[in-house]
Amino acid sequence: MDDTKFRELTPSPDCLIESLRDIGYTIETAVADIVDNSIAAEAYTIDIRFAWNEGCPWLAIIDNGWGMSEDELIESMRFGSKSPLATRSKSDLGRFGLGMKTASLSQCRHMVVISRKDGQTTGCSWDLDRIQNQQDKSWRVELLSPEDIQDQETLKSIFEEYLKDRDSGSIVVWLNMDRFSGSEPFQENVFNTALIDVRHHLEEIYHRFLASPVPRRNVRIAMNGDELTAFDPFNTKNLATIELQKQRFSIEGSRVVVQPYVLPHHTKVSKEEYVRYAGTGGYLHNQGFYIYRNSRLIIKGTWFRIIKKEELNKLIRVKVDIPNTLDHLWKIDVKKSGAYPPESVRKELKQVIDKIEISGRRVYSQRGIKLRSETRMPIWNRKASHGEITYEINRDHTFLVNLKKTLSAENIELLDNLLATIEGGFPVESFFSDVAGRSEQVKKPQIPREKLAMLLGEFISIWQSKDNDSLELEEMILQSEPFASHRELTEQLLKEKPIS
Ligand SMILES: Nc1ncnc2c1ncn2[C@@H]1O[C@H](COP(=O)(O)OP(=O)(O)OP(=O)(O)O)[C@@H](O)[C@H]1O
Ligand SMILES: [Mg+2]
């Protein structure tokens, strides 16, 4: 090879790291990338500690995983420590050989990793301010001696509390968290609120580890001593959650398992529970696929543009389990917060959706059927044919029949035109979206007492002239509109003025 044709171009560490800081991590996704490493190292206890520290906040993630030797730790500090093309163990949550560094430095300017393996402790750090001040553009990582750890108050106290007496484990510490630091009082609130978001995020993305009945898989995570509780986005513990048929398909020899759920309708659970499972952004926003890579939720609430998010499907959430062997197809991003399925998978998922939508609809239509059967003389007739549902004004309603008797043929035609106009103008879209969105708030206008009394009088006089038994008539009144919808008031009126 002709060496003169090539020039060595080592990236400038200060420029490159500064740019990598902004690839889009949030504090939630950054903490999760570190926790991924702990779980991959078979840790079953993970402690997250943090402190505002008078405007210079820090955060540490401590695990009891298998830890790293000195050589392993140094290698792990390398940007690009493993190739995305390398084959990973089945339970490895990593892919790029970047997460620990990029996630940490997205939130702080000084990261320290201390690890113990076979009773030996080693420490390493990347400090952006040191890198910026060094004259040469080398990628030299700093090795920490036991004294260095003792000299730094935060490192010393965490090390002594958690790692000193363990055979193995690791600590990742974020010092100088410049995204949050500051002397204004509100900044402390911003920091604490962000950590509440972190908590909720971890409770959801690791819910299958937090609640795993298999002791080997079960992971305990605590934040400043407070244990996290699993948040299962499918609310599977509630019997009202409908578990639809599981489906499986194979892609390049790897199995993908799909489990659709329909979450409980608001009438089936308490208001608190309904709101809790709505999640940030609500049911409409959170419908869709929930993709789990090695049991860890990586992306949620999207139909991957296969269908649109609709009110009708807002209770449908579909669990999709993918193995890490399909990473190259799914376009998993460095932050593990994005993935997009290849065309072959989209095709399979489309078929899954086609089957579920029908079941999701049934949740609503069942309620419709029930309402209909309670009224003998409705105002609106529900008509279902060829998969289409329409509502028509009941031409046989007593009031209409009676009115028509008093009208000339010409006026009857005018009335029919008016009825057809009202039916044609029924606001289907807005009504549907209101009912599906906040059905508890959709109300029929109430007829005032005097008006109802008048209508009742008219109804009785029409039917009495037909020689009806008064008990039978009362029963019929209560099953006819508008009296059925104003039952209490109608009963009161009938008591005050019984049918003679
Ligand atoms: N808590 C830990 N315990 C043991 N080993 C760890 C721990 N954290 C990191 N490592 C080691 O350091 C390596 C680098 O971690 P890093 O997160 O940077 O990349 P990755 O996990 O391989 O891939 P990704 O960029 O997708 O996260 C890991 O592959 C692992 O070998
Ligand atoms: Mg990682």
Side-chain angles (χ1 to χ4, degrees):
M1 210 188 331
D2 179 4
D3 270 354
T4 58
K5 281 184 70 184
F6 298 92
R7 291 282 181 284
E8 176 79 29
L9 269 188
T10 317
S12 305
D14 51 345
C15 302
L16 187 64
I17 298 177
E18 286 294 343
S19 310
L20 283 175
R21 299 193 77 198
D22 291 322
I23 61 170
Y25 277 101
T26 59
I27 185 166
E28 293 102 294
T29 53
V31 171
D33 225 347
I34 307 299
V35 173
D36 277 353
N37 288 341
S38 300
I39 293 177
E42 292 187 356
Y44 54 85
T45 287
I46 300 167
D47 281 282
I48 300 169
R49 292 282 307 269
F50 54 91
W52 172 240
N53 193 28
E54 290 171 9
C56 191
W58 58 263
L59 182 144
I61 297 153
I62 307 133
D63 71 51
N64 68 345
W66 58 46
M68 288 175 270
S69 65
E70 185 176 55
D71 286 349
E72 285 168 339
L73 176 61
I74 294 171
E75 188 53 31
S76 79
M77 297 296 278
R78 187 194 293 274
F79 284 76
S81 52
K82 271 184 199 164
S83 163
L85 304 176
T87 310
R88 299 259 184 169
S89 85
K90 262 189 170 172
S91 55
D92 198 341
L93 298 171
R95 169 161 166 77
F96 296 97
L98 277 176
M100 185 174 79
K101 290 76 67 176
T102 47
S104 300
L105 294 170
S106 75
Q107 303 301 310
C108 75
R109 297 192 63 81
H110 185 185
M111 68 174 284
V112 175
V113 185
I114 306 171
S115 201
R116 249 175 105 72
K117 191 171 186 176
D118 305 326
Q120 292 275 324
T121 306
T122 5
C124 274
S125 100
W126 281 120
D127 180 348
L128 285 184
D129 295 332
R130 174 183 63 81
I131 294 170
Q132 250 175 10
N133 290 329
Q134 72 189 17
Q135 293 305 315
D136 61 349
K137 297 289 178 202
S138 64
W139 287 84
R140 273 177 309 162
V141 68
E142 185 178 352
L143 308 185
L144 303 184
S145 65
E147 292 74 42
D148 292 332
I149 296 169
Q150 290 298 316
D151 285 350
Q152 218 283 356
E153 207 184 310
T154 309
L155 299 183
K156 178 177 184 273
S157 72
I158 298 169
F159 174 72
E160 292 192 343
E161 187 176 345
Y162 292 98
L163 206 57
K164 196 165 137 240
D165 301 320
R166 278 183 189 164
D167 282 344
S168 70
S170 304
I171 308 177
V172 175
V173 192
W174 299 347
L175 298 166
N176 191 0
M177 294 178 70
D178 63 331
R179 309 283 195 200
F180 292 95
S181 59
S183 51
E184 299 288 334
F186 75 89
Q187 278 160 320
E188 183 174 358
N189 274 343
V190 172
F191 181 65
N192 289 327
T193 310
L195 283 144
I196 294 171
D197 292 342
V198 169
R199 183 189 181 89
H200 292 150
H201 184 66
L202 302 183
E203 287 183 329
E204 185 167 20
I205 65 170
Y206 297 115
H207 74 96
R208 290 164 75 182
F209 294 93
L210 291 168
S212 174
V214 184
R216 230 164 15 94
R217 279 276 301 278
N218 190 283
V219 178
R220 172 198 154 273
I221 307 179
M223 288 180 72
N224 275 357
D226 196 3
E227 274 195 36
L228 268 57
T229 35
F231 176 77
D232 164 15
F234 313 105
N235 195 3
T236 44
K237 275 206 182 119
N238 195 312
L239 293 177
T241 291
I242 303 168
E243 192 176 307
L244 301 169
Q245 180 135 35
K246 200 180 249 174
Q247 298 172 51
R248 294 184 174 83
F249 55 88
S250 251
I251 298 286
E252 293 189 2
S254 293
R255 178 172 282 198
V256 177
V257 184
V258 185
Q259 173 64 70
Y261 294 96
V262 183
L263 269 75
H265 191 268
H266 74 88
T267 52
K268 301 268 173 62
V269 287
S270 68
K271 201 167 177 185
E272 293 74 46
E273 191 169 338
Y274 189 72
V275 170
R276 183 166 140 72
Y277 284 90
T280 317
Y283 283 99
L284 179 68
H285 176 74
N286 289 320
Q287 65 183 284
F289 292 113
Y290 284 61
I291 311 293
Y292 290 78
R293 173 173 172 268
N294 291 357
S295 301
R296 187 264 216 222
L297 181 62
I298 50 168
I299 184 163
K300 69 166 199 174
T302 169
W303 292 118
F304 296 121
R305 281 182 282 165
I306 298 169
I307 55 165
K308 278 207 302 205
K309 284 188 178 175
E310 292 194 49
E311 285 289 339
L312 188 61
N313 300 327
K314 70 175 188 171
L315 296 177
I316 301 174
R317 295 181 186 176
V318 184
K319 181 160 99 186
V320 181
D321 270 301
I322 57 167
N324 59 359
T325 44
L326 294 178
D327 281 354
H328 60 293
L329 293 177
W330 276 84
K331 302 198 188 104
I332 308 278
D333 73 359
V334 175
K335 297 163 279 152
K336 322 290 182 315
S337 58
Y340 200 78
E343 202 43 47
S344 51
V345 175
R346 275 167 63 89
K347 253 191 211 152
E348 299 278 357
L349 292 179
K350 166 114 186 39
Q351 285 188 15
V352 170
I353 296 173
D354 289 344
K355 285 185 199 155
I356 318 163
E357 269 196 300
I358 306 154
S359 314
R361 257 179 208 137
R362 222 176 281 147
V363 177
Y364 291 102
S365 56
Q366 267 167 9
R367 289 165 45 75
I369 291 161
K370 191 164 163 254
L371 277 174
R372 239 177 351 133
S373 60
E374 276 169 3
T375 318
R376 220 159 80 182
M377 195 188 297
I379 308 234
W380 290 93
N381 275 334
R382 180 181 181 274
K383 270 191 142 182
S385 69
H386 305 297
E388 283 186 356
I389 297 162
T390 49
Y391 280 83
E392 290 174 0
I393 292 172
N394 177 15
R395 304 288 197 279
D396 298 327
H397 193 282
T398 300
F399 287 147
L400 251 169
V401 175
N402 206 44
L403 174 66
K404 279 189 181 172
K405 278 187 201 154
T406 66
L407 300 177
S408 63
E410 202 178 310
N411 283 345
I412 286 176
E413 204 183 319
L414 284 178
L415 177 67
D416 276 335
N417 291 347
L418 176 67
L419 295 179
T421 310
I422 294 172
E423 286 166 347
F426 188 83
V428 178
E429 287 85 10
S430 72
F431 174 74
F432 179 73
S433 123
D434 287 343
V435 172
R438 307 175 298 273
S439 55
E440 60 278 24
Q441 290 170 12
V442 179
K443 286 232 164 78
K444 280 187 236 187
Q446 290 294 299
I447 298 178
R449 186 188 164 91
E450 295 72 51
K451 186 107 200 142
L452 196 74
M454 237 176 74
L455 290 168
L456 184 62
E458 194 183 329
F459 195 90
I460 291 170
S461 72
I462 297 168
W463 284 92
Q464 262 182 338
S465 61
K466 292 186 185 165
D467 223 11
N468 270 292
D469 170 77
S470 67
L471 261 180
E472 240 175 55
L473 180 53
E474 191 170 325
E475 202 182 293
M476 178 147 100
I477 291 167
L478 292 172
Q479 288 179 352
S480 301
E481 290 296 3
F483 312 109
S485 302
H486 295 75
R487 193 181 172 100
E488 218 173 291
L489 189 52
T490 308
E491 278 175 345
Q492 251 181 46
L493 292 169
L494 286 170
K495 223 188 237 165
E496 283 165 24
K497 201 173 167 211
I499 303 167
S500 47

